[in-house]
Structures are given as structure tokens and as C-alpha cells.
Amino acid sequence: MLILRKQGLYCEAGDFYIDPTGAVERAVVTHAHSDHARRGAKKYFTPRSGVGLVRARLGANIQIEGREFSEKFPLGPVSISFHPAGHILGSSQVRLEYRGEIWVVSGDYKRDPDPTCEPFESVPCDVFVTEATFGTPAYHWNKSADLGRELFEWWEKNRAQGINSVLCAYSLGKTQRVLGLLAPFTSRAAYIDPAAVALTECYRAEEISLLPTISLASLDANTRLSGELIVAPSSFLSSERVGILGDRYESAFASGWMAGGQSFGRFAGYDRGFTISDHADWDDLVRTVRETGAKRVYVQHRGKGALVRHLRGLGMDAHSDAELAKEPPRQMSLFGA
Ligand SMILES: [Zn+2]
Ligand SMILES: [Zn+2]
């Protein structure tokens, strides 16, 4: 049903792409991250709760249709529906049904609780195309960690000494998750990167409860913060704006990469690390693949070699997504269908 072309995963029967690059007619978009929602499509389809984020990223003028989760809609003869991926607000898995066969493309997903997005839903299918960002067994994390409390206690400890807490996090998804995790603990405002302001408003428009926020852009250069929380991409620490921290700050990084022992080097220079990931860890990748009941599995992204081998070891028909480029044309039934 899907083949891999230069622009991305393509469905010939329905004449649309999933998360394509470049100029295409129709793009079914799993979520608003920039490696999935890209300029160039004449028309976009995405879950309704993600429409604001995709517009914030690609421009108000794009032609886009939002659909509720589980709502079936046709593209040509193919019946499509979106199902929550638990990754960021409005993130989806795409279910395709055509001639009695069901495929699901996972997009990015996670199984951990997250107060800022719709929880992941397992979707039974014949063929499952899964992401594998953390597709090696080195990546697993404590599912019962109280991340909100950990973050709050770190901020509190620093605040008591007048030290600013700088949490480095991506402007879409991670930033809002941190604000949502902290909301039950305090109503103090956090400072956020200017690039995160419009995206954060999209979450509020969907009635997601977040800490109050103040844009770093609203501060003049002579401001000196004390005991505040700043959530910003790591580039903030090497920008001119860093002067507002004075010399009293601690930095931390929020990422799933924290969990992989050998990649610790990339966090050198940070005072603290929080294992907060937007993706499934190894155990959840394997669990999710099994839950779909898929007869065939294709693995996208990094580390796919390890996951493909592991799934084959479990007796599954697993492949790298590169194999989709070689899928033979569908055999036509003699009796028409
Ligand atoms: Zn993503
Ligand atoms: Zn991605």
C-alpha cells in the first residue's frame, strides 16, 4: 500500500504522501515537528488538535484540513484515520485501509504519560511502519519517575539560593511538556524562548494546563533574573541574551539521549540531566510492535538494524523501511476486486 519515494512514504492508490519533503499534491502529516511537517504540499491533512501547530510552523496560508482522531475519511479509494501517538499535542499514527488490508504508520510516538498530549492508542493492523529513534536496547527509562516533582525540586533548591535554573529543551513538545509537568506544583511563571511563544499558545488554545510563561524577548538586556526557571533551546546559553542570568545559574538538559550510557559526552557542560523523552524507549518499541499484531513490520530511523534483528529473533517478518522502495507492484486479482 505504501512505497518509499524520494519525497517520502507514498500511497499510490490514494495518491498522497505521509510526512513528505518538497513539492507534492497531498500530504498527510503525522505532527508538527520540522522533520515531518514540511513546506511544499498543495494540501495538508493532520489531526484537528495539531492544525494550529502545523500552521504556526508552515504559515497561516497553507491549505490544511483537520480531522478528529478515529474519524475515517477517504483519499481516493483509501480510507484514512488518525490515532493518537502520545508524542506531542496533535501527534498521530496514520491508519490506512484499502482492499481489506490495514497499514499503520506510527510517526513519532511514546507510551509514557504526558499531560500535554493525547495518550497513545494501539491500533491493530496487518502491516506496521514504526519509528525507532531509540532503537537499541541501551535506551530504557524509569516509567514511574515523577518528572514534574524532580523538575520542581531542582528549581526550588536553586531558587532558595537565588540561582537561575536553565532547562534546555526543544521549543515544540519538550518545552510545553515541562510546563505541563510543573503546573500541578506551582503557578509561578517560567521564562521561555521567543520561538516557543506561539507554539505554547497553541497548547493553551487546546485547553492544556501549563505554567504561566513570560517571553525572554520581553526582557531588556539590563535585566538580571534571580531564582527563575528558563526553558529554552541550548543555543540560548551561547547567545547574547545569556547576560540576564548574571553568573548565578545552573543548566540542565531534558532528553531521552540521557539514558544511553555511551552518549553521555554530548551532555558535558550541563550541571544536570533529566531523562525526559518524546519517543518510545526500546522496551516500548518492542511492546508496541507486538500489540499491533502486525504480520509485517517496517522500521524507520536510527538504530533500525538492532530492532529489525530483534523482531526477527521473535519470529516476526521485520524489515528496514528501505525495503519499501523495492515493494513489487500489487498483484491484480483476476476477478477484479
Ligand atoms: Zn516528532
Ligand atoms: Zn521525528
Side-chain angles (χ1 to χ4, degrees):
M1 194 166 341
L2 291 169
I3 54 170
L4 192 59
R5 283 185 170 178
K6 188 162 55 67
Q7 299 98 318
L9 278 178
Y10 177 65
C11 176
E12 194 159 30
D15 189 22
F16 62 87
Y17 284 86
I18 298 176
D19 293 349
T21 54
V24 302
E25 287 291 317
R26 299 198 285 193
V28 172
V29 170
T30 59
H31 66 289
H33 276 147
S34 55
D35 54 330
H36 298 263
R38 287 174 279 217
R39 287 197 174 79
K42 285 202 182 130
K43 180 156 190 184
Y44 295 88
F45 300 85
T46 208
R48 189 205 49 76
S49 58
V51 167
L53 291 171
V54 174
R55 278 197 199 280
R57 275 289 165 89
L58 302 186
N61 298 330
I62 57 165
Q63 205 198 338
I64 183 163
E65 255 182 48
R67 299 289 177 158
E68 296 299 335
F69 284 117
S70 298
E71 175 195 345
K72 290 190 175 163
F73 62 98
L75 287 179
V78 182
S79 173
I80 316 278
S81 52
F82 292 114
H83 301 267
H87 171 63
I88 65 170
L89 177 65
S91 63
S92 64
Q93 306 170 76
V94 184
R95 180 185 184 277
L96 305 89
E97 185 169 0
Y98 176 57
R99 290 183 170 173
E101 191 174 55
I102 297 164
W103 284 50
V104 170
V105 177
S106 75
D108 294 340
Y109 64 95
K110 74 169 179 293
R111 309 294 301 265
D112 304 329
D114 178 344
T116 62
C117 67
E118 304 87 352
F120 180 92
E121 178 190 311
S122 262
V123 186
C125 56
D126 300 305
V127 181
F128 187 49
V129 182
T130 182
E131 70 128 324
T133 299
F134 294 108
T136 68
Y139 294 102
H140 56 89
W141 35 84
N142 176 7
K143 306 298 164 135
S144 55
D146 189 346
L147 298 171
R149 183 170 298 281
E150 284 178 26
L151 289 164
F152 181 63
E153 285 175 355
W154 174 64
W155 182 11
E156 281 296 278
K157 178 188 62 88
N158 288 338
R159 200 171 83 94
Q161 303 167 72
I163 295 172
N164 294 302
S165 302
V166 181
L167 186 66
C168 296
Y170 301 116
S171 54
L172 172 55
K174 201 70 66 75
T175 288
Q176 293 77 24
R177 187 172 173 202
V178 164
L179 298 171
L181 286 167
L182 282 165
F185 293 92
T186 177
S187 54
R188 286 198 305 268
Y191 290 82
I192 59 171
D193 189 72
V197 171
L199 301 166
T200 302
E201 286 314 314
C202 291
Y203 277 70
R204 292 200 175 101
E206 291 297 317
E207 295 177 2
I208 308 288
S209 167
L210 305 175
L211 283 193
T213 50
I214 302 167
S215 173
L216 287 168
S218 69
L219 301 175
D220 82 64
N222 301 319
T223 306
R224 290 292 173 267
L225 300 177
S226 170
E228 302 290 354
L229 175 67
I230 297 93
V231 186
S234 51
S235 56
F236 166 72
L237 288 174
S238 49
S239 73
E240 286 179 5
R241 266 205 190 101
V242 78
I244 60 168
L245 301 174
D247 51 8
R248 306 270 290 158
Y249 73 90
E250 261 196 25
S251 61
F253 205 92
S255 172
W257 297 113
M258 295 303 308
Q262 78 276 37
S263 59
F264 187 74
R266 84 164 75 186
F267 303 101
Y270 292 93
D271 301 302
R272 183 74 201 264
F274 294 94
T275 302
I276 302 179
S277 172
D278 292 339
H279 296 271
D281 68 0
W282 172 261
D283 292 344
D284 281 347
L285 288 173
V286 176
R287 170 165 73 110
T288 301
V289 168
R290 302 187 89 150
E291 282 178 11
T292 64
K295 297 191 290 278
R296 199 165 4 123
V297 180
Y298 293 97
V299 177
Q300 299 182 300
H301 296 319
R302 300 177 202 103
K304 53 194 171 189
L307 188 59
V308 168
R309 279 195 302 279
H310 183 75
L311 295 174
R312 284 183 178 170
L314 296 172
M316 282 184 232
D317 183 16
H319 307 267
S320 153
D321 63 344
E323 305 271 322
L324 282 168
K326 299 176 208 151
E327 194 184 53
R330 214 188 152 77
Q331 206 71 45
M332 294 297 286
S333 161
L334 283 174
F335 305 101

